[in-house]
Amino acid sequence: MDREASAAPFHDWNARIAEECYGPVTLGIHGGSDGRTIAYDETLKRLSYNFGPTLLSWLESERPAILSRILAADAATQTAIAQPYFHNILPLESRRDKETLVRWGLAEFRHRFGREAKGMWLPETAVDVETLEVLAGHGVEFTILDPKQGEAVRDIGSTAWMEFDAEHLDPKMPYLWVSPRDPSKKLVIFFYHHRLSQGVVTGETTASAERFVDAVRGRLWEGDAAQLVHVASDGEFYGHHHPGAERVLALTLDLLQAGGIPAIDPARFLALFPPPHEVRIREKTAWSCEHGLGRWEKDCGCRSAHLPGWSQDWRAGMRSALDRLAVRLDTFYEDDASRFFAEPWKVRDESVALWLTPDDARASAFLKAHAKRPLDSDEERRALELLAMQRA
């Protein structure tokens, strides 16, 4: 990889963020100037987290000690959750591509963590009914959304829906989601505390451990044991975007534990407290766009305050061009790959094995197991090129 000047003094942004965030959150025990010792390596064991396959591959080759701590933390607590294989905005993808991305993400999680994933984080929490149906169809038990992505609730067993806005959704409990098109497809949705989570983004919540603790306590109701204060953010806000926030997080968890408020992950909370209500979602929404899914397909108005003259007027054309290209490539793949495979799309789903453990002998064995007839060396090369094209 070429040196990235903007990441100086580090070689690239992966290296810089690993030093400022992933490393401190996973490695070592440090004493602070205030005399309090922080066991950073225990922090990850008290969090629910997900890492993308691309980042995990980089950690494997460049920071293996960090990766080993990540895997060890999950082995001890099983708090990690999966994500689709790439950071695609799933509601903008075809049903077939949704299926493949989810299958690949679950397979990669199984490969890395040695177990089945119970939860899955959706990129940008972008959601629609079809996306949730795909998750449920692959055994995913829960996902996490922003409160603004809920539309209506009702007691389980009731027929009367009550519509609400984000300010009136109680995020301290899980909600059952049932597909309006196929009642056999269902999973649980956790909604995070929006303002508390937004405070992690701005740095307000993580200004001090005491402020973080007070913010958590202020969201708990006395006398109600079954309640979860759920904070969701990009992990890089802890130490990279906000230096020292990783220390604040560790201290906050220590102080809450000492005060009788233990850390708990969604899977364990769900096992203890099943959802009392059912929820309907707002279709084609995400946590990072106030215009549905606009920022990934048109000039919706989302922009950085630091770039007031910048616009996305080019994005609709680019999105349309890439979507048209994908359709043409899919047609080409299906036609050409049918020479080698009886079920080209099933083979694409299973080809994640080629990316998880790249190896020439393994690739030949994969083709031998999936081809409808023996392939010569040129045909093997062609078949692998077609699968690599689909991955890209």
Side-chain angles (χ1 to χ4, degrees), residues 118-122 127 132 135 140-145 187-191 230:
K118 295 183 177 180
M120 175 168 275
W121 176 267
L122 294 171
V127 71
L132 293 182
L135 263 59
V140 175
E141 296 178 16
F142 67 87
T143 191
I144 301 160
L145 299 180
L187 50 70
V188 169
I189 295 175
F190 286 90
F191 294 96
H230 196 152

Side-chain angles (χ1 to χ4, degrees), residues 49-360:
Y49 56 90
N50 63 286
F51 285 85
T54 304
L55 176 55
L56 289 176
S57 295
W58 183 87
L59 290 172
E60 183 176 40
S61 63
E62 304 296 328
R63 299 292 188 276
I66 293 178
L67 177 60
S68 68
R69 289 297 183 107
I70 292 170
L71 300 180
D74 180 73
T77 61
Q78 296 197 352
T79 57
I81 63 176
Q83 69 174 60
Y85 195 80
F86 293 124
H87 197 265
N88 296 48
I89 305 303
L90 291 192
L92 298 180
E93 302 296 337
S94 67
R95 175 66 180 248
R96 187 164 57 204
D97 285 355
K98 288 183 178 77
E99 295 274 358
T100 296
L101 288 162
V102 169
R103 289 186 183 191
W104 284 11
L106 292 172
E108 206 277 344
F109 185 93
R110 191 183 309 116
H111 170 74
R112 291 284 183 189
F113 293 93
R115 65 180 180 87
E116 298 294 333
K118 295 183 177 180
M120 175 168 275
W121 176 267
L122 294 171
E124 307 297 325
T125 73
V127 71
D128 64 354
V129 165
E130 188 174 79
T131 294
L132 293 182
E133 287 177 343
V134 170
L135 263 59
H138 287 87
V140 175
E141 296 178 16
F142 67 87
T143 191
I144 301 160
L145 299 180
D146 186 292
K148 70 183 180 185
Q149 296 177 271
E151 181 179 67
V153 297
R154 66 182 179 186
D155 293 339
I156 290 180
S158 171
T159 58
W161 287 99
M162 179 181 297
E163 294 190 0
F164 61 86
D165 57 30
E167 294 295 323
H168 296 91
L169 173 75
D170 183 2
K172 294 192 295 297
M173 65 185 74
Y175 291 81
L176 177 67
W177 176 84
V178 180
S179 170
R181 308 185 303 193
D182 180 359
S184 69
K185 299 290 193 302
K186 60 184 70 176
L187 50 70
V188 169
I189 295 175
F190 286 90
F191 294 96
Y192 59 83
H193 283 72
H194 181 86
R195 291 186 181 179
L196 188 57
S197 299
Q198 187 63 26
V200 174
V201 176
T202 63
E204 179 183 359
T205 298
T206 55
S208 73
E210 289 74 18
R211 177 177 293 185
F212 206 155
V213 169
D214 288 344
V216 172
R217 286 188 176 279
R219 285 162 173 79
L220 293 172
W221 293 345
E222 289 189 21
D224 189 351
Q227 50 187 324
L228 173 71
V229 178
H230 196 152
V231 180
S233 74
D234 292 335
E236 290 79 12
F237 284 104
Y238 295 101
H240 171 58
H241 294 302
H242 300 307
E246 79 287 352
R247 172 182 168 80
V248 170
L249 174 63
L251 279 173
T252 298
L253 294 171
D254 286 347
L255 293 173
L256 287 171
Q257 179 75 36
I261 304 174
I264 189 169
D265 67 283
R268 185 169 169 231
F269 189 90
L270 181 58
L272 294 172
F273 307 110
H277 305 298
E278 188 177 341
V279 70
R280 240 176 20 210
I281 63 161
R282 296 184 190 277
E283 284 263 56
K284 297 186 177 181
T285 56
W287 75 342
S288 51
C289 181
E290 296 302 321
H291 316 94
L293 303 176
R295 69 187 307 164
W296 300 285
E297 58 179 348
K298 59 187 177 183
D299 186 13
C300 68
C302 286
R303 65 197 59 192
S304 169
H306 303 294
L307 300 168
W310 184 83
S311 76
Q312 296 173 257
D313 55 3
W314 49 270
R315 190 158 291 181
M318 182 176 183
R319 179 85 208 185
S320 176
L322 290 173
D323 284 346
R324 292 199 306 272
L325 175 62
V327 170
R328 293 188 66 179
L329 291 176
D330 282 351
T331 302
F332 179 81
Y333 168 77
E334 186 170 45
D335 181 58
D336 208 20
S338 294
R339 296 189 293 135
F340 312 128
F341 309 120
E343 299 180 82
W345 297 111
K346 183 174 185 292
V347 174
R348 182 182 78 164
D349 284 342
E350 296 180 3
S351 68
V352 65
L354 299 173
W355 328 131
L356 297 180
T357 51
D359 177 84
D360 290 344

